[in-house]
Amino acid sequence: SAGLNINLKKGKLGITGMYSLMSNNNLPSRQLATTTRDQPMAFASRQVGGERGADLFFHQANLELSYDLDSTNTLVVYGNMSRNSNAALNQYSIHTLYANGNSDTDPYHLETKFALPTHGFGTDFIRKFKGKPQKELTFRFQALYNTNRSFSNSEQEFGAWDRFILNNSEAFNSEYTVQTDLIEPLNKTIRLETGVKTILRKAFSDFESQVKFNKSQPYHIDPANSDRF
């Protein structure tokens, strides 16, 4: 991991920034999950577990510029970005104990990937009032954009038959905020704060699942498991 911070002020111009980074590659772990049925029907108990290796990555950055137009008015412009991503490879096995006492063990391979990039920007206009240092009027605009992408690839063997599944998910979000705030001092100890805020948001998501039951065959879309939320 690593990080950097800056904070500078010269004359009317101020600069504030931050960057941080964290990563962890090939992080090993071992997992085990057990399901036990109170009334055994298809099976009495099932264990899923095995080795897991994961790659993790995250970083973010913020930058803000402020400029004093005069003694009472300040303009602020800022932007930010971040990315969170990970990938994991699971080499599992599925051990099933049936109600009649028989059991079997089948391999289960699962590969997953995830990414969440985000960026945004905004600006503030801040007005102070001469003779009333506690009175303040602020106009603010912010925009935020993020994308959520995930992918999984699984291979399962169940006795005499196999199942291969590809899942792809994408979600997009755009958000805009317009805000006005007023701080009005009523006396030395009481202040009245009022404001108006509007948020406009546009979101879209898509999920596609593909399946096949023979390794040599092509995948086909599974309509029963696509775009089902």
Side-chain angles (χ1 to χ4, degrees):
S1 62
L4 175 66
N5 290 277
I6 59 172
N7 195 339
L8 302 174
K9 176 73 174 181
K10 184 176 181 180
K12 297 182 177 182
L13 180 64
I15 301 175
T16 302
M18 180 276 294
Y19 177 77
S20 62
L21 168 69
M22 181 183 69
S23 66
N24 197 335
N25 294 328
N26 197 25
L27 179 67
S29 63
R30 185 173 181 83
Q31 299 178 340
L32 178 66
T34 302
T35 302
T36 303
R37 299 288 299 268
D38 291 333
Q39 297 181 351
M41 297 180 64
F43 62 90
S45 67
R46 174 173 289 166
Q47 288 186 337
V48 181
E51 303 292 335
R52 182 176 189 267
D55 294 335
L56 309 176
F57 177 79
F58 172 78
H59 72 158
Q60 63 177 349
N62 298 302
L63 181 64
E64 178 180 297
L65 304 178
S66 63
Y67 185 76
D68 297 329
L69 301 175
D70 51 39
S71 60
T72 58
N73 298 299
T74 301
L75 180 65
V76 182
V77 180
Y78 46 87
N80 60 79
M81 57 82 65
S82 67
R83 181 179 180 86
N84 181 14
S85 62
N86 62 67
L89 179 62
N90 306 274
Q91 300 285 0
Y92 288 168
S93 62
I94 303 175
H95 178 75
T96 305
L97 177 64
Y98 298 100
N100 61 8
N102 294 332
S103 65
D104 63 34
T105 301
D106 303 302
Y108 174 40
H109 170 90
L110 176 63
E111 179 186 3
T112 61
K113 295 180 180 180
F114 166 81
L116 179 61
T118 301
H119 67 278
F121 64 91
T123 182
D124 295 351
F125 176 76
I126 305 169
R127 177 175 176 80
K128 301 284 188 177
F129 294 84
K130 293 182 178 180
K132 290 186 175 182
Q134 291 185 327
K135 184 175 182 179
E136 182 177 293
L137 177 64
T138 303
F139 298 96
R140 173 173 297 170
F141 171 79
Q142 293 177 324
L144 177 67
Y145 308 93
N146 60 56
T147 302
N148 188 330
R149 293 188 176 95
S150 61
F151 165 83
S152 67
N153 173 24
S154 66
E155 300 178 7
Q156 299 171 266
E157 296 183 12
F158 297 97
W161 62 280
D162 301 333
R163 183 172 65 174
F164 304 87
I165 299 177
L166 289 177
N167 289 331
N168 286 284
S169 176
E170 288 187 323
F172 307 92
N173 180 70
S174 302
E175 184 175 304
Y176 304 92
T177 302
V178 180
Q179 183 174 347
T180 301
D181 294 305
L182 175 64
I183 301 175
E184 180 69 45
L186 301 181
N187 52 44
K188 292 182 178 180
T189 59
I190 300 176
R191 297 187 306 173
L192 176 64
E193 298 186 12
T194 59
V196 178
K197 184 176 183 178
T198 300
I199 299 176
L200 304 175
R201 181 181 294 116
K202 181 180 180 181
F204 169 79
S205 60
D206 181 45
F207 178 80
E208 181 182 80
S209 180
Q210 301 181 69
V211 64
K212 67 179 180 179
F213 298 95
N214 189 307
K215 195 169 186 178
S216 62
Q217 293 179 349
Y219 284 95
H220 64 271
I221 295 176
D222 181 5
N225 195 36
S226 296
D227 287 332
R228 300 295 297 270
F229 304 102

